[in-house]
Amino acid sequence: MRTDGNVSREGLVMKRVCAGGPALAAVAVSIAAMALHSPTVRAQAGAATQAQTPTFRTGVEYVEVDARVVDGKGKPVRDLKKEDFHLFEDRQEQTIESFSAIDIPLESTSSTTSTSSMRTTTTAPRVEPDVSPNHFTAEESRVYVIVLDDRQIDAQRTQQTVNIVKTFIQRDLGSHDLAAIVATSGRTDISQTLTGNKTLLVKALDGFVGRKLESEAIQRFNGTHPQDSQEWYFEATSSLRAVREVLTWMGGMRGRSKVLLLLSEGTDYNTDSTSDVNVTVVLDEEKQTIAAATRANVTIYGIDPRGLYAFDELTALGGSNAAATGAAVAAAQARERGAGPSPAAEGRSSVGPGAAAWRALNTGFRAEVDRARMSLRSIADETGGAVSFQNDFQAVLNRIVSQHSTYYLLGYYPTNTRRDGKSRSISVKVNGRGLKVLARSGYREAKGSAPPVPLSLPGPRGTSSELREALNSPLPMDGLALTATAAAFRGESGKASIAVIVETPAGNIDVTEQDGKFTGALEIATVAVDRRNVVAAAETTRIDLQLTRETSDQLKRQGFRVLSKLNDVSAGRYQVRAAVVLAGSAKGGSVWYDIDVPDFSKGELVMSGLVIASARQGATPTGNDSKLFAGVLSILPTAVRQFKAGDELLAFAEVYANRTPALEVNLSVIVKDDHAATVIRHTDSISASDFAAADGVYRSVTRLPLADLAPGDYVLSIEATRKADDVR
């Protein structure tokens, strides 16, 4: 902690560890980071911006354009005003309805080590935040969707693909950025909804495996029967349609730059064929994908995990020495995919195929790669992005971050309102000699009536459309600033419950004075959504505020807190979504929190999530104040992570003993500073009788006075381990 009188907790993670070796039980460890900040510590996210958020008109197209302005030396130009810009669609000047100047500072990154194919990031262990805010706006954060085109990535490139994505997440993802991971095969076990949690993003890559069909040219050369063309057609079109679905979803993200990072080897289909009736369909799918990206204002960056392709060994084939030719092909294939046609392996080291066969392999194999790469390049180029075929992929990753850190976001309603499916050109000009504007050149308008947007989370009956919109928004809505945290506890019948704490800061809740009373109403929905986007648990609450002047003033000074409890949740990963709307108004917000719910029935010792209460925050006006921890905590838990130096915290967690008779356990509450030095340690002994008296549950409540802590960053952990003398 840094003393200026404020403490801030940066994060909480929960992970299973085996503490100390075989003699100790596997336990759940909750780690939180706290920090005392001075008013000058927190850096401002770039220069002040001018933002004019439009009220989106129903049924009318709204177009956004990212515009980068550079000077004659290619350096970004900042501090331009709305009146400096002129925007044209089909040569007709449009009225700029919304304008934002975005300038996100580039954060310092960890050291990197270079390999022959890419840079590998090495980072110190990181504590992920245990609170999730919704108020990181376009001026503070970037949005990335990472698409793993496993349909078009060979299995031999699986690890290379994973390494590239890990490098981007660990090295280039900013502390306020959001990212999601999607696979074109539709596998939910290698997907991750939008989150800033790097640990969850990296974990989502664990099961990734490329599943691309083997090259037709290689199969013909090896004498195996190639797959039917319908199989390549199915894989190619399925991949493109999956990307297009992601782009359509991203179209609902308004008010910020959006990036789709596509890891793919391109569309593997012979579009040069003149006899294949499916060629037209595949090419049309590519065009529709590009059109969806331009309509959604999404920039696509492609990375081919093959890197530089080893064509040199194949370009001089047809010589008289079959063995030398075979060795060259084998070397090329080893570099390209780790395996390939090897004449020696097939007993053809002395008498190989003729020069014509080798040339056919070379020509066919190279044509396949060229076609696939051309499809990847065209998708990226048409959306204003770039594609990398290099071995050092960091160059394109650097470009992604830099180009989407300093830009101007322009929004307008086109004067041409026809949904005719035709292309529209876009041109952006700026006042000032020698300045260059980099922006997309156009988009393809949709055709026909706009389809209704389906609500994947319809919400309980009787809830308002504003609340349902907040739950279904592709991004957390920031109309009402919210911060959330959640923790999992053992429930009944082998299930779990999730305690959810949501807070909004001072001055956000509006009340109306009438006859000496201050009234208002809040509509609140909290849901836990699994990886298939299915609601596993939900709670809806309406809170009618009837306040005196004193409590109204308290609300203005301290903000508002809402407690929810989601019951009967199975073990697994969930996204908790909480939406809060001021009834009778358009003011509302939503916040998301990712949580792994463990199986509390497994393991000798299991620990719940960790919650923190603050003596000073205990007086915050609270809705559903009887929902959580009644009779357990003397003050209610909080999602706030900035505390005064003289405050006192309560750290609460539950320990579950799944063994009979119960174990003898040491429970330690530890606070470490940012140098990993222990500054507080409380150790209690839990006896078997303690567990037996409470049906196998021990509730740990530890008081932590902050007065004696110096300013700085801290990690708070609770650890439960078997006593050494309890080993049987």
Side-chain angles (χ1 to χ4, degrees), residues 451-662:
V453 178
L455 297 178
S456 57
L457 303 176
R461 290 184 179 181
T463 55
S464 66
S465 60
E466 290 81 7
L467 191 71
R468 295 194 297 273
E469 180 184 358
L471 283 176
N472 283 274
S473 172
L475 289 172
M477 291 180 58
D478 60 358
L480 185 68
L482 301 171
T483 300
T485 188
F489 293 83
R490 190 172 74 180
E492 298 179 357
S493 303
K495 296 294 186 70
S497 64
I498 302 176
V500 184
I501 303 105
V502 178
E503 301 204 25
T504 185
N508 265 330
I509 303 297
D510 300 324
V511 292
T512 302
E513 183 179 7
Q514 185 176 6
D515 299 328
K517 293 289 184 180
F518 296 82
T519 62
L522 297 174
E523 190 179 10
I524 303 150
T526 308
V527 300
V529 184
D530 67 16
R531 301 181 76 159
R532 297 168 299 161
N533 208 35
V534 174
V535 175
E539 181 179 273
T540 304
T541 305
R542 179 185 172 93
I543 298 175
D544 292 307
L545 301 175
Q546 300 285 339
L547 309 176
T548 64
R549 183 176 297 278
E550 180 182 0
T551 53
S552 174
D553 291 342
Q554 186 181 14
L555 182 72
K556 293 177 182 178
R557 291 193 311 268
Q558 295 185 274
F560 193 75
R561 171 173 50 202
V562 178
L563 306 180
S564 300
K565 187 178 181 183
L566 304 176
N567 293 316
D568 298 324
V569 179
S570 301
R573 180 177 298 177
Y574 297 90
Q575 183 177 83
V576 173
R577 294 190 180 188
V580 181
V581 172
L582 298 183
S585 77
K587 187 175 183 180
S590 58
V591 62
W592 303 347
Y593 186 91
D594 293 289
I595 186 171
D596 277 323
V597 176
D599 186 340
F600 288 110
S601 66
K602 292 184 177 179
E604 292 181 319
L605 282 177
V606 190
M607 188 176 289
S608 71
L610 170 67
V611 298
I612 293 178
S614 155
R616 295 201 179 204
Q617 291 298 129
T620 299
T622 303
N624 296 344
D625 55 1
S626 62
K627 277 283 182 184
L628 300 173
F629 313 113
V632 178
L633 294 177
S634 57
I635 49 179
L636 294 173
T638 181
V640 169
R641 293 302 180 256
Q642 290 194 354
F643 310 103
K644 299 293 183 181
D647 204 347
E648 182 178 63
L649 305 184
L650 294 183
F652 173 74
E654 293 182 345
V655 184
Y656 311 110
N658 292 324
R659 169 178 161 176
T660 304

Side-chain angles (χ1 to χ4, degrees), residues 30-31 40 66 103 106 137 185 205 227 289 391 550 588 618 633 646 720:
S30 297
I31 304 174
T40 59
D66 302 340
D103 191 9
L106 297 177
T137 61
S185 64
L205 302 171
Q227 283 98 341
T289 301
N391 291 336
E550 180 182 0
L633 294 177

Side-chain angles (χ1 to χ4, degrees), residues 166-241:
K166 281 186 177 179
T167 295
F168 178 73
I169 293 169
Q170 294 170 343
R171 182 186 187 275
D172 299 307
L173 196 66
S175 58
H176 296 168
D177 295 343
L178 295 174
I181 295 177
V182 180
T184 56
S185 64
R187 287 180 54 188
T188 58
D189 58 324
I190 52 174
S191 66
Q192 173 59 51
T193 53
L194 278 171
T195 182
N197 190 312
K198 294 187 178 184
T199 300
L200 293 180
L201 289 165
V202 170
K203 187 176 180 180
L205 302 171
D206 287 348
F208 173 76
V209 177
R211 45 170 285 182
K212 180 182 177 181
L213 299 175
E214 188 177 23
S215 158
E216 181 179 2
I218 290 177
Q219 291 183 73
R220 292 188 185 282
F221 179 84
N222 283 333
T224 57
H225 182 68
Q227 283 98 341
D228 186 272
S229 64
Q230 286 296 319
E231 293 184 62
W232 276 293
Y233 169 75
F234 175 80
E235 292 297 312
T237 54
S238 297
S239 177
L240 290 166
R241 287 166 185 167

Side-chain angles (χ1 to χ4, degrees), residues 50 59 115 171 255:
Q50 299 176 337
T115 67
R171 182 186 187 275

Side-chain angles (χ1 to χ4, degrees), residues 2 16 42 86 88 123 203 208 264 290 305 323 341-342 428 530 553 564 605-606 611 654 660 709 712 715 717:
R2 296 183 203 101
R16 286 187 189 282
R42 184 172 180 178
H86 302 275
F88 301 85
T123 60
K203 187 176 180 180
F208 173 76
S264 175
I290 294 170
S342 175
V428 181
D530 67 16
D553 291 342
S564 300
L605 282 177
V606 190
V611 298
E654 293 182 345
T660 304
L709 291 178
V715 172
S717 63

Side-chain angles (χ1 to χ4, degrees), residues 64-141:
E64 288 183 331
V65 182
D66 302 340
R68 294 179 61 242
V69 182
V70 297
D71 60 20
K73 296 181 179 179
K75 295 183 178 180
V77 177
R78 299 171 171 86
D79 301 325
L80 294 177
K81 305 295 188 294
K82 175 181 175 181
E83 51 268 23
D84 294 321
F85 287 84
H86 302 275
L87 193 153
F88 301 85
E89 180 178 293
D90 289 343
R91 299 183 180 181
Q92 298 294 317
E93 186 161 8
Q94 308 292 311
T95 300
I96 299 175
E97 298 281 352
S98 65
F99 175 86
S100 297
I102 311 299
D103 191 9
I104 306 172
L106 297 177
E107 299 179 13
S108 59
T109 58
S110 59
S111 60
T112 58
T113 57
S114 181
T115 67
S116 58
S117 61
M118 64 179 298
R119 290 180 179 177
T120 302
T121 302
T122 56
T123 60
R126 182 177 184 268
V127 177
E128 295 290 351
D130 81 315
V131 293
S132 179
N134 71 339
H135 45 269
F136 291 139
T137 61
E139 291 81 11
E140 298 176 277
S141 67

